[in-house]
Amino acid sequence: MSVIDIWPAWIANRRLIPLFALLAAVILLTAGVAVAVYDEEIYRVEKLDETDVQAKILAGSVAAALIFDDRKAAGEYVDALKVNPEVEAAAVYGTSGGVFAGFVRPGARPLPVRARLRQAAYAHDRLTVTAPVEQNGTMAGAVYLRMIGEPLSRRLARYAGILLLGIMGAIVLTVLGTSQAALTRANVALASRARDLEEANHRLHDEMTERAKAEEQLRQSQKMEAIGQLSGGIAHDFNNLLMIIKGNLQLMERRIAQGRTDFGRYLQAASEGLNRAASLTQRILAFSRRQPLSPKPVDISALIVEMGDLLRNSVGESVAIEIQLGAKGWTLCDANQMENVILNLAINSRDAMPHGGRLTLETGDMAVGPAQAAAYEIAPGDYVRLTVTDTGTGMSEGVRGKAVDPFFTTKPPGQGTGLGLSMTFGYIRQSGGYFAIESEVGKGTTITILMPCTDQSEIPEKANGTDGRV
Amino acid sequence: MGALEKRAGRRLTRALAVQAMLVAVPLLTVPTWAGGEPALEYEIKATFLYKFGPFVNWPQGDLSASDSPFRLCIVGDDEVASLSSEATQNQQVLGHPVKIVHLDAVTHDSGCDELYTAGSPAQTIADGLAAVKGTPTLTVTDSEHEPDAHGIIQFVIDRERVRFDVDTAAAAANGISISSKLLQLAHNVSPRP
């Protein structure tokens, strides 16, 4: 912290600066007054000398006139002094003591009746000087001179300049000192705050570093946990499929050993198991490799019809499937991915209904107005609606909030990857669609998906067939 | 400031002194007197005799001894001569007591510091003045007596006032000089400076 250093280095304690300034101001003022007083004294002494000389000159020049009793000549000598306005009264006295010649200004004190030689003296702002009149040792009389001292107002005016300068200097010094002190205080406060800020910044930086480290560790552990869950789930699912295949093959083997030929059911079951295993593998690949989407116009209703067997097999016999397909619009999406989405939702519903229930898949057309579009964070326009409703256990509000988070699952370890809804949500949003979950614990869950309708022109001609897929 | 004023003051003082002289010299109204009474006129003249003393510069050595008197010689017997003793009683000139010396005739060796001559049967005024010529003597005459014979100082009457003329050449001839202060009061100074 650098302060403009106008003070000597020995003034170590800057708090004393105003004191020093005040001291300097007082010294300056005192010096000013002293100079004025000294000047005044000098002035008085000089005035006295000057008047004395004037009296002596008058005494010298008036000697002959006095000795030879020439009042007229003496009067002329004395009257010559009237030119000087400072001379209030002047007179020549003869040896007898009476006034020989003289004058007094109007309004002034009258001349003394008798001459009395005495020391020059100031009295009542008047300087009185006397001088003997003598000629070669012959006393002839005396001269009396009374001067008006310079009026106090004029003397003060004379010293006012000095005093004013002194006061101004004092004020400047005081203000300078005070402002310097204030500046110093402000600087100290600023320095302290800057230090605090610096420390806070350091702390923040440290905390940020630690936080980043902790986050990195958390991410790492989450990753490891996710990998563990994923691999556990895959292993479990895969194992189940293998068990299905193995069981069916064993049953088939037994039938073959018995020479029976009615093992087609087992063969089909084993084959289905293999398909599911292949599908699982495909999905993992899709997830891990982030396979690019290949969107094409798709009729979701037709897709659901096609998936009928797969859905029934996936949810099992305890769950009744109800399908209401009202959608006429087509949507632009990756058919495989959409199939995965529907399958995922169906399996989730099945898992939510361990004791059976009803799974309803419903499609329809829907026009989204601007207000609704803004609320849904999608573009206004025509959409194809798909709702998947179950009568399962439902979700709590907390679970519902986290349902689409990656790797979040309520299923026991090995049964779910926590990726299903997450991937679904990601895919729908990526396709410009809307995804919502409504759920109530004990009553069931409804998943609503809106997919934008594609232009009629992009729908292939033959798409009106039952096949529907391109 | 003080010094400046002092200088200004001194200038003023000098100016005043010069002005005073300029005003005074041309007027030179001499003074005094007295009015129509002849007795008063002579008394004044008798008083003037010793009053001239302080305005005269005698040569060094003269009047050196402090106890030696100031010799005021009187020749003649007019009113001034008769009043001189009374007028100069207890008076001093340059610190010396005035001593009146009445003489019938003055000589070169009379030792007079000042001579007032009204002329006597033994010596005319002109002769008296001639007798002391060259000696340090202040000679005083009265215009009433011999208008052509005048001393260094000669009494005159101007507008009924006692005044005097001064002859500085005569003073110089006697080896003395007259103070300018006295010259300022003189009725007439010859030769004109």
Side-chain angles (χ1 to χ4, degrees):
Chain A
M1 183 63 41
S2 80
V3 177
I4 303 166
D5 229 327
I6 60 165
W7 298 92
W10 53 266
I11 305 178
N13 192 346
R14 288 179 192 282
R15 262 180 243 168
L16 289 180
I17 285 173
L19 208 64
F20 278 115
L22 201 67
L23 200 67
V26 167
I27 288 171
L28 205 61
L29 271 179
T30 312
V33 169
V35 165
V37 167
Y38 178 71
D39 206 37
E40 175 70 14
E41 193 50 40
I42 290 282
Y43 167 77
R44 284 165 75 97
V45 168
E46 284 181 350
K47 197 77 201 164
L48 202 142
D49 287 352
E50 186 188 314
T51 309
D52 196 39
V53 166
Q54 225 164 334
K56 278 177 178 155
I57 288 170
L58 178 62
S61 51
V62 87
L66 190 57
I67 287 170
F68 289 97
D69 204 25
D70 190 343
R71 283 179 192 271
K72 199 177 171 198
E76 279 161 3
Y77 284 126
V78 175
D79 284 351
L81 291 174
K82 279 183 179 170
V83 177
N84 184 354
E86 285 183 23
V87 178
E88 187 185 64
V92 178
Y93 289 81
T95 41
S96 55
V99 175
F100 183 68
F103 71 86
V104 182
R105 303 252 183 220
R109 223 156 23 95
L111 287 167
V113 179
R114 307 201 147 272
R116 200 163 36 129
L117 288 175
R118 55 177 185 179
Q119 196 83 29
Y122 279 97
H124 309 294
D125 246 359
R126 299 287 186 275
L127 172 61
T128 307
V129 171
T130 55
V133 178
E134 58 176 347
Q135 183 64 34
N136 281 340
T138 303
M139 281 298 292
V143 160
Y144 173 89
L145 210 55
R146 196 160 72 222
M147 308 287 280
I148 306 169
E150 201 181 9
L152 186 68
S153 59
R154 263 180 63 191
R155 290 209 302 272
L156 284 183
R158 203 139 43 87
Y159 302 127
I162 300 173
L163 214 63
L164 206 67
L165 271 177
I167 289 170
M168 272 174 63
I171 288 171
V172 164
L173 271 175
T174 308
V175 167
L176 212 62
T178 312
S179 54
Q180 170 77 0
L183 198 67
T184 308
R185 271 200 300 279
N187 277 335
V188 167
L190 267 177
S192 150
R193 277 168 65 179
R195 261 198 311 280
D196 290 351
L197 217 63
E198 207 175 338
E199 277 171 26
N201 195 29
H202 269 304
R203 271 203 308 279
L204 195 65
H205 195 257
D206 290 350
E207 278 170 16
M208 274 167 67
T209 312
E210 273 176 34
R211 194 188 172 89
K213 230 183 278 177
E215 275 178 0
E216 184 56 39
Q217 282 172 352
L218 184 66
R219 246 199 311 278
Q220 191 63 28
S221 62
Q222 278 178 341
K223 226 186 278 178
M224 293 312 288
E225 189 187 337
I227 290 167
Q229 278 183 357
L230 184 64
S231 50
I234 291 164
H236 191 265
D237 285 358
F238 222 84
N239 198 42
N240 280 348
L241 292 171
L242 288 177
M243 287 309 291
I244 290 167
I245 294 163
K246 187 183 175 187
N248 281 306
L249 286 177
Q250 280 174 345
L251 287 170
M252 222 167 79
E253 193 179 20
R254 201 178 301 165
R255 293 283 164 95
I256 290 169
Q258 289 169 355
R260 292 164 66 170
T261 57
D262 55 343
F263 52 80
R265 191 160 58 97
Y266 304 118
L267 183 64
Q268 193 185 353
S271 173
E272 205 171 291
L274 279 173
N275 282 340
R276 283 175 62 189
S279 168
L280 184 62
T281 313
Q282 193 62 39
R283 271 191 293 158
I284 290 166
L285 281 175
F287 176 72
S288 62
R289 287 181 191 164
R290 299 174 189 279
Q291 282 181 342
L293 304 173
S294 50
K296 286 170 187 163
V298 171
D299 180 0
I300 292 179
S301 301
L303 192 65
I304 290 171
V305 170
E306 270 180 38
M307 289 175 70
D309 290 345
L310 182 59
L311 287 172
R312 253 182 290 278
N313 285 332
S314 297
V315 299
E317 286 171 359
S318 62
V319 175
I321 294 180
E322 188 180 330
I323 294 174
Q324 298 172 1
L325 301 171
K328 300 276 187 292
W330 288 48
T331 187
L332 198 66
C333 65
D334 187 303
N336 285 322
Q337 288 295 334
M338 188 48 78
E339 209 171 300
N340 275 340
V341 164
I342 293 165
L343 193 63
N344 247 317
L345 294 177
I347 289 168
N348 277 343
S349 294
R350 178 204 66 192
D351 292 341
M353 298 181 287
H355 309 297
R358 178 187 299 275
L359 172 67
T360 309
L361 285 98
E362 189 186 352
T363 65
D365 295 323
M366 184 178 172
V368 175
Q372 202 177 8
Y376 286 0
E377 295 180 357
I378 54 177
D382 291 331
Y383 284 84
V384 176
R385 189 187 76 240
L386 165 66
T387 56
V388 179
T389 309
D390 64 55
T391 56
T393 51
M395 294 179 241
S396 69
E397 190 58 28
V399 172
R400 193 184 71 86
K402 287 196 270 186
V404 298
D405 286 358
F407 304 114
F408 176 83
T409 181
T410 53
K411 296 172 188 175
Q415 288 194 13
T417 60
L419 286 172
L421 275 183
S422 172
M423 283 172 69
T424 301
F425 176 74
Y427 167 69
I428 300 295
R429 295 297 295 171
Q430 203 179 330
S431 306
Y434 168 75
F435 178 92
I437 302 172
E438 291 168 76
S439 187
E440 199 175 330
V441 176
K443 295 210 170 162
T445 301
T446 300
I447 306 282
T448 304
I449 290 170
L450 296 182
M451 286 298 284
C453 279
T454 185
D455 278 350
Q456 214 54 31
S457 58
E458 290 180 32
I459 301 168
E461 287 295 321
K462 63 171 187 174
N464 289 331
T466 47
D467 161 53
R469 288 180 65 182
V470 179
Chain B
M1 201 171 216
L4 255 178
E5 277 202 358
K6 188 174 180 179
R7 278 204 294 278
R10 281 177 182 160
R11 273 202 299 276
L12 183 62
T13 312
R14 272 203 298 277
L16 278 177
V18 168
Q19 198 171 2
M21 283 185 209
L22 288 177
V23 169
V25 170
L27 290 176
L28 277 193
T29 54
V30 174
T32 340
W33 160 9
E37 280 182 69
L40 187 55
E41 174 195 330
Y42 298 125
E43 269 178 36
I44 289 168
K45 284 176 178 171
T47 312
F48 275 20
L49 287 180
Y50 77 87
K51 285 188 174 179
F52 290 131
F55 297 95
V56 178
N57 296 317
W58 275 273
Q60 287 286 331
D62 218 52
L63 290 167
S64 58
S66 60
D67 54 346
S68 62
F70 178 82
R71 286 171 67 87
L72 175 51
C73 302
I74 307 287
V75 174
D77 193 19
D78 66 348
E79 289 86 346
V80 176
S82 58
L83 287 168
S84 62
S85 293
E86 194 186 336
T88 59
Q89 203 164 9
N90 294 329
Q91 295 298 335
Q92 289 198 334
V93 171
L94 303 171
H96 301 273
V98 178
K99 184 183 179 185
I100 302 291
V101 181
H102 287 278
L103 298 168
D104 289 334
V106 71
T107 67
H108 195 270
D109 301 318
S110 290
C112 299
D113 295 307
E114 184 177 339
L115 167 67
Y116 174 76
T117 173
S120 69
Q123 191 180 43
T124 63
I125 293 172
D127 288 344
L129 293 175
V132 296
K133 187 162 185 177
T135 64
T137 306
L138 174 69
T139 54
V140 181
T141 56
D142 193 331
S143 60
E144 281 183 8
H145 302 302
E146 294 178 29
D148 294 333
H150 62 85
I152 296 168
I153 291 175
Q154 183 169 40
F155 290 124
V156 292
I157 299 297
D158 176 37
R159 277 170 279 179
E160 296 194 331
R161 291 173 74 88
V162 177
R163 299 192 61 183
F164 50 85
D165 292 338
V166 178
D167 185 346
T168 52
N174 279 10
I176 60 175
S177 63
I178 311 296
S179 165
S180 66
K181 293 179 186 174
L182 194 64
L183 299 183
Q184 283 175 17
L185 288 182
H187 171 257
N188 195 14
V189 177
S190 62
R192 280 271 164 208

